[in-house]
Amino acid sequence: MRVDMHNHTVRCNHAEGTIEEYIERAIELGVNIYGFSEHAPMDFDPKYRLSFDEMAEYESEIRSAKAKYQDQIDIRLGYEVDYLPNHMDERVLNAKVDYLIGSVHFIDKWGFDNPEFIGEYESRDIDEIWREYFQAIEDMAKSGYFDVVGHLDLIKVFKYLPKAPIEEIAQPALEAIKQAGMVLEINPAGLRKPIGEQYPARNLLIMAKELGIEITFGSDAHAIEQVGFKYDEVVALAQEIGFERVVVFKDRQKEFYSL
Ligand SMILES: [Zn+2]
Ligand SMILES: [Zn+2]
């Protein structure tokens, strides 16, 4: 079963390609279940996401595409939602979709994965930054709002690594993810970033496996050619670690398939 649950479209203003182009590429690659998870609206950082006014249109476009391609591929509808306290919105959290990916892209108001603001890494204690990031992941899991954890260790993107062991920093967040029944996404986008490694790192995946956390896959495609990028590589890694099944969502409910 080939699944790919994390994909964007032009609507977030930093991706290229139409819904149909993404779907046709996924069909070409033999994807069975393909999900759109556009950056959900938020009253902060509005430039890099769709607007609240566009939600209905986005959702109906995906549903139409789902019907149109139903004989060739199973399309799912979701959002990638920023976990940012005081900026969570019921319209997104209660949207009638198949799943919500919860992602942390901001520590307070710092967009730490945006190269524009990379200077901040040098001006603060790196261990503190990592602890704050994983505290946000833990809080996100405890919020109970989301189904999937997006790119668990995104904070490594520019290769500013902590002095303290990452396993120790991430442990409470992983326990909260298990407790919340959230599913961990294996996301190869990090392989095209300075860190040169999928999210999450191998050692964190091993910890997740030991805790009994389930996984899914998402390209995090922002361009057609990124659909399926390094898919076989990350599936092989998951299998080698011992994962035997992959989870997808329909109407916020889990479905399990063997890897
Ligand atoms: Zn994006
Ligand atoms: Zn993201």
Side-chain angles (χ1 to χ4, degrees):
M1 180 61 67
R2 191 167 172 133
V3 312
D4 187 346
M5 303 305 286
H6 186 156
N7 294 284
H8 297 277
T9 73
V10 282
R11 284 193 182 273
C12 64
N13 310 313
H14 62 278
E16 291 161 9
T18 64
I19 289 169
E20 299 204 342
E21 287 174 309
Y22 280 98
I23 293 174
E24 279 163 21
R25 180 63 183 142
I27 292 169
E28 213 171 82
L29 290 168
V31 176
N32 304 100
I33 302 178
Y34 186 81
F36 286 97
S37 55
E38 193 51 287
H39 290 284
M42 183 165 64
D43 65 357
F44 177 74
D45 190 46
K47 200 172 121 197
Y48 294 104
R49 56 198 65 252
L50 49 74
S51 66
F52 287 103
D53 292 343
E54 283 176 282
M55 285 177 75
E57 205 181 323
Y58 163 68
E59 292 173 22
S60 79
E61 266 182 8
I62 304 292
R63 286 202 190 89
S64 310
K66 179 184 176 73
K68 177 177 171 188
Y69 289 97
Q70 60 181 343
D71 297 334
Q72 294 169 81
I73 193 167
D74 186 346
I75 300 295
R76 303 290 166 96
L77 168 62
Y79 283 104
E80 180 183 15
V81 185
D82 278 83
Y83 178 71
L84 189 60
N86 305 317
H87 296 278
M88 308 309 300
D89 194 291
E90 296 294 325
R91 287 169 284 182
V92 171
L93 299 177
N94 297 327
K96 294 277 172 280
V97 293
D98 292 312
Y99 61 102
L100 297 178
I101 299 175
S103 293
V104 174
H105 300 108
F106 297 95
I107 297 176
D108 296 324
K109 297 285 163 81
W110 172 35
F112 63 82
D113 70 333
N114 185 336
E116 242 176 279
F117 311 121
I118 198 169
E120 185 77 8
Y121 283 95
E122 302 283 1
S123 68
R124 295 170 61 178
D125 180 72
I126 190 65
D127 284 18
E128 262 320 294
I129 291 172
W130 274 68
R131 286 187 202 286
E132 275 183 48
Y133 172 81
F134 275 101
Q135 181 65 55
I137 296 281
E138 182 182 339
D139 295 345
M140 173 178 84
K142 288 179 174 166
S143 77
Y145 292 145
F146 310 108
D147 306 298
V148 178
V149 183
H151 39 60
L152 173 71
D153 53 356
L154 179 63
I155 191 66
K156 71 185 176 184
V157 59
F158 296 121
K159 226 175 168 176
Y160 288 95
L161 302 177
K163 296 177 267 335
I166 292 170
E167 293 87 339
E168 177 226 299
I169 297 172
Q171 178 80 31
L174 281 165
E175 283 168 9
I177 289 164
K178 169 63 186 171
Q179 195 67 33
M182 286 180 84
V183 169
L184 209 54
E185 155 195 280
I186 305 187
N187 176 328
L191 288 161
R192 24 172 220 265
K193 297 289 165 60
I195 187 66
E197 178 182 82
Q198 81 291 330
Y199 311 110
R202 182 196 169 81
N203 51 355
L204 297 181
L205 283 171
I206 291 170
M207 288 168 70
K209 178 77 183 77
E210 282 166 1
L211 283 166
I213 295 169
E214 304 276 354
I215 55 162
T216 191
F217 296 95
S219 290
D220 208 345
H222 287 72
I224 306 301
E225 65 272 17
Q226 292 171 353
V227 176
F229 172 74
K230 303 280 187 190
Y231 182 82
D232 295 333
E233 202 171 294
V234 293
V235 167
L237 173 67
Q239 286 170 330
E240 185 227 313
I241 290 170
F243 289 101
E244 288 172 350
R245 55 186 195 172
V246 57
V247 182
V248 294
F249 289 85
K250 182 179 258 173
D251 298 329
R252 309 288 309 267
Q253 300 296 312
K254 286 179 185 143
E255 297 173 340
F256 298 90
Y257 293 96
S258 61
L259 253 187

